[in-house]
Amino acid sequence: MDEKASKLKMQSVKRKSLSNQVIDQIIDLLMSGKLHPGDKLPTEMELMEMLFVSRPVLREALSSLETIGIIHRKTREGTFLSDKIGSQPYRIMLALAAGDIKAILETRLSQELGLVTLAAEKISELELKKLKETILIMEDSEGDYTEADREFHRIIARSASNYMLEGLIDPLLNMYDKILENISYENRNKEITVQQHKDIYAALEKRDPVESYLSMYRHLDYVRKKTLKSIEE
């Protein structure tokens, strides 16, 4: 065992729920600051010695961590902790709430209100230009404008410049798109939607976080009420 591995000092695990305990130990290394995002994990053999577990148990734990994006493996280089929070853990959590449309709409509302206020402080001229382009695409569209609408919200999420929050928006919008499949285009008021997007854009252009918040709330509250009404009907 090399010097770096020997300093980590993980607790040995009991036989019950071994792979889950291995997962907890590795996550604890991150939480305690003993390892950091992007760091390389000790080798499989070193981890087996440190945790007193078999190779199958360790590999089961590592596979679970890889599935949710906590680690990634590089051929011939080893296993590394991810250096950025991805969307996979959030996507899995949302999947468990797939049938609770009200909760999904409320989650989107709470997340995007925070994102838009941060975006008002940080958004660049280039991002504002891209926002305007999505609005023009929506205006000129004679059919489905979902992708332009979604890109508008993605740009705002990215312009908040917070890697912890950025991974949340795509799975949330994907889940919302599945809800929209139940609503015909004829029941979507494009004129109102486009105007609400213009109001959000104007507030962001002024770098006004309060007005950005209010404009986004008006838009998402309108969407929420219309969605719930359409599903009830």
Side-chain angles (χ1 to χ4, degrees):
M1 187 183 302
D2 66 22
E3 183 179 354
K4 179 180 177 181
S6 66
K7 290 180 180 179
L8 295 178
K9 293 183 180 178
M10 286 191 272
Q11 299 174 10
S12 61
V13 296
K14 298 177 182 178
R15 293 189 61 83
K16 185 178 180 181
S17 304
L18 287 176
S19 64
N20 288 338
Q21 292 183 55
V22 171
I23 290 170
D24 288 342
Q25 291 275 13
I26 293 174
I27 291 176
D28 282 345
L29 291 176
L30 271 170
M31 299 289 288
S32 66
K34 293 176 182 176
L35 285 177
H36 301 90
D39 280 354
K40 182 179 179 180
L41 286 178
T43 66
E44 281 193 2
M45 187 60 67
E46 288 168 341
L47 286 171
M48 288 162 55
E49 291 178 10
M50 293 158 65
L51 295 163
F52 298 99
V53 294
S54 65
R55 178 173 274 110
V57 168
L58 178 65
R59 288 185 171 175
E60 180 183 347
L62 294 178
S63 292
S64 297
L65 288 169
E66 188 172 28
T67 297
I68 60 176
I70 301 297
I71 65 170
H72 62 278
R73 306 184 205 205
K74 296 181 181 180
T75 305
R76 294 189 294 275
E77 291 186 42
T79 302
F80 295 79
L81 291 163
S82 297
D83 57 5
K84 184 177 181 181
I85 295 174
S87 62
Q88 188 67 0
Y90 199 60
R91 188 178 75 85
I92 294 170
M93 186 182 76
L94 281 173
L96 296 173
D100 194 339
I101 294 171
K102 184 178 179 182
I104 291 168
L105 292 170
E106 289 175 350
T107 301
R108 183 187 179 191
L109 180 70
S110 65
Q111 294 294 333
E112 291 207 58
L113 289 177
L115 286 167
V116 79
T117 53
L118 289 173
E121 299 175 357
K122 302 177 181 181
I123 195 164
S124 68
E125 291 297 327
L126 178 59
E127 287 164 334
L128 283 169
K129 180 182 177 183
K130 289 180 179 178
L131 277 183
K132 198 168 189 177
E133 288 171 356
T134 64
I135 294 172
L136 292 174
I137 291 171
M138 291 175 65
E139 278 188 306
D140 294 340
S141 173
E142 296 181 359
D144 184 7
Y145 52 85
T146 301
E147 185 52 42
D149 192 343
R150 186 196 291 191
E151 182 61 17
F152 180 91
H153 291 274
R154 278 202 205 104
I155 293 167
I156 291 173
R158 289 195 295 266
S159 66
S161 299
N162 185 307
Y163 73 95
M164 291 184 67
L165 296 172
E166 191 176 327
L168 308 181
I169 195 64
D170 266 341
L172 197 52
L173 292 178
N174 287 338
M175 183 67 74
Y176 179 69
D177 284 348
K178 293 185 183 302
I179 295 172
L180 280 185
E181 290 174 1
N182 299 314
I183 305 172
S184 67
Y185 295 121
E186 292 76 14
N187 291 330
R188 304 181 198 179
N189 192 317
K190 187 176 82 170
E191 183 178 345
I192 291 176
T193 300
V194 169
Q195 184 57 54
Q196 289 175 342
H197 281 68
K198 287 181 177 179
D199 293 342
I200 296 167
Y201 170 83
L204 289 170
E205 187 180 34
K206 291 190 294 184
R207 306 299 200 282
D208 187 333
V210 175
E211 186 56 39
S212 296
Y213 179 100
L214 292 173
S215 297
M216 182 64 82
Y217 178 80
R218 293 186 195 105
H219 171 55
L220 293 181
D221 186 52
Y222 167 80
V223 170
R224 175 175 57 168
K225 289 174 179 175
K226 191 171 184 62
T227 301
L228 291 173
K229 183 179 178 181
S230 297
I231 291 172
E232 288 170 2
E233 291 175 350

